[in-house]
């Protein structure tokens, strides 16, 4: 499995930002009030990030121990273990979180840009919640990339071959 492409995530986030701004303009252009969902969206994204972190930490401990064993070979039993199916699922979950964070963060950023450019919405009522949602989305995307990179085994570690992911 190839590593997650950060430029692809950035382009996806920028497209989502444009989509969010156009959507906000379209909704308000028809006389409707744009719902502000930033607080709830941000809290959901933070909860998702916490689950990803809990799932990713055992993977990080395993890969870190694999790196240490590659540098200093040992016959002692492993301190940390993870089955490869769980490792693969964690990597896939991290990728999904990265894409989700990029898209949702981009849409929230687009709505924030709309609020700032149109002068609608108050600071507390629209700008802060939407900015919080955008920030949480971007944080989830970054955490997804980090956890996905944790699943990369070092080359020649005797357990996965040359530069493969833990799958």
């Amino acid at each position: 499995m190839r590593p997650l492409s950060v430029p692809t995530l950035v382009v996806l986030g920028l497209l989502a930002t444009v989509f969010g701004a156009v959507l906000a303009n379209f909704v308000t252009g028809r006389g409707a009030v744009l719902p502000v969902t930033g607080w709830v969206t941000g809290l959901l994204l933070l909860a998702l990030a916490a689950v990803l972190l809990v799932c990713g930490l055992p993977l990080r401990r395993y890969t870190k121990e694999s790196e240490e064993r590659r540098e200093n070979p040992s016959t002692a039993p492993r301190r940390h273990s993870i089955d490869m199916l769980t490792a693969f699922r964690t990597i896939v979950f991290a990728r999904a979180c990265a894409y989700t964070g990029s898209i949702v963060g981009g849409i929230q950023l687009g709505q924030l840009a709309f609020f700032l450019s149109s002068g609608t919405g108050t600071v507390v009522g629209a700008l802060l919640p939407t900015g919080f949602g955008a920030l949480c989305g971007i944080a989830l995307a970054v955490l997804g990339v980090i956890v996905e990179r944790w699943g990369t085994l070092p080359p020649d570690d005797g357990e996965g071959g040359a530069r493969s992911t833990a799958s």
Side-chain angles (χ1 to χ4, degrees), residues 3-17 94-107 109 137-149:
L4 194 59
S5 172
V6 175
T8 301
L9 282 177
V10 170
V11 168
L12 193 60
L14 291 174
L15 289 173
T17 301
R95 284 178 168 231
C97 285
Y99 285 123
T100 301
S102 179
I103 292 169
V104 174
I107 289 172
L109 200 59
I138 293 167
L140 180 63
V142 169
L143 183 63
V145 170
I146 290 170
V147 171
E148 193 259 350
R149 299 287 158 92

Side-chain angles (χ1 to χ4, degrees), residues 57-66 68-69 76-84 159:
L57 285 176
L59 181 63
R60 175 63 180 148
R61 286 191 288 263
Y62 178 80
T63 54
K64 189 171 183 176
E65 184 177 352
S66 293
E68 291 170 1
R69 283 178 170 258
R78 283 186 163 275
R79 293 182 314 253
H80 306 289
S81 65
I82 188 170
D83 63 292
M84 290 300 115
E159 297 181 28

Side-chain angles (χ1 to χ4, degrees), residues 33-90:
V33 177
L34 186 65
V36 178
T37 60
W39 294 123
V40 173
T41 302
L43 290 175
L44 289 173
L45 292 173
L46 284 180
L48 193 58
V51 170
L52 177 60
L53 198 56
V54 167
C55 291
L57 285 176
L59 181 63
R60 175 63 180 148
R61 286 191 288 263
Y62 178 80
T63 54
K64 189 171 183 176
E65 184 177 352
S66 293
E67 291 171 7
E68 291 170 1
R69 283 178 170 258
R70 187 181 60 119
E71 293 171 7
N72 302 317
S74 172
T75 58
R78 283 186 163 275
R79 293 182 314 253
H80 306 289
S81 65
I82 188 170
D83 63 292
M84 290 300 115
L85 183 59
T86 302
F88 179 75
R89 287 177 177 163
T90 302

Side-chain angles (χ1 to χ4, degrees), residues 111-131:
Q111 288 181 352
L112 182 64
F114 171 78
F115 285 139
L116 290 172
S117 66
S118 68
T120 58
T122 62
V123 172
V124 175
L127 299 179
L128 285 179
T130 307

